[in-house]
Amino acid sequence: MALYGITAVRLDPEDRVTHVQWGRIGAPHNAWATPPAEATVDQVIDALVAGDEVVTIFPSMEGTVPGPRVCVVVYENGMESIDLEPPGDLLGQTLQDLPTF
């Protein structure tokens, strides 16, 4: 199981995430094992379904801080996407709060 961090998102006109900037995080120092690169939401979903963990990484005054984990959501129309796992979404954080590219 791999650990990935999302640092930025690309949004469509309806504010839905279409792409992310993400990289694999390596143990034991939580440093980038691969530098962040662009990926589609489908690639993130595939990683989650395969059992990988995906977290958000938010900018802060000290550099960056880990944010909530990411999960797969399925809308009523059957479309799959990604969102934050609780309690992240309950704290008012959203994927749309990440930097955009």
Side-chain angles (χ1 to χ4, degrees):
M1 175 166 75
L3 173 63
Y4 292 90
I6 295 176
T7 59
V9 295
R10 180 178 299 149
L11 305 173
D12 71 8
E14 285 84 38
D15 255 2
R16 292 180 295 222
V17 178
T18 62
H19 294 78
V20 301
Q21 287 280 336
W22 74 340
R24 194 164 58 86
I25 300 170
H29 303 292
N30 289 332
W32 292 115
T34 60
E38 185 175 334
T40 66
V41 166
D42 288 338
Q43 290 172 290
V44 177
I45 292 170
D46 289 346
L48 289 164
V49 169
D52 294 331
E53 183 177 355
V54 181
V55 298
T56 50
I57 300 175
F58 284 88
S60 76
M61 297 295 276
E62 293 83 31
T64 59
V65 294
R69 290 169 47 165
V70 175
C71 63
V72 177
V73 294
V74 181
Y75 296 109
E76 289 181 17
N77 64 3
M79 184 178 128
E80 291 183 325
S81 190
I82 58 173
D83 204 350
L84 300 182
E85 284 187 357
D89 59 349
L90 299 176
L91 299 173
Q93 293 175 311
T94 68
L95 288 171
Q96 289 78 5
D97 293 328
L98 287 166
T100 57
F101 67 98

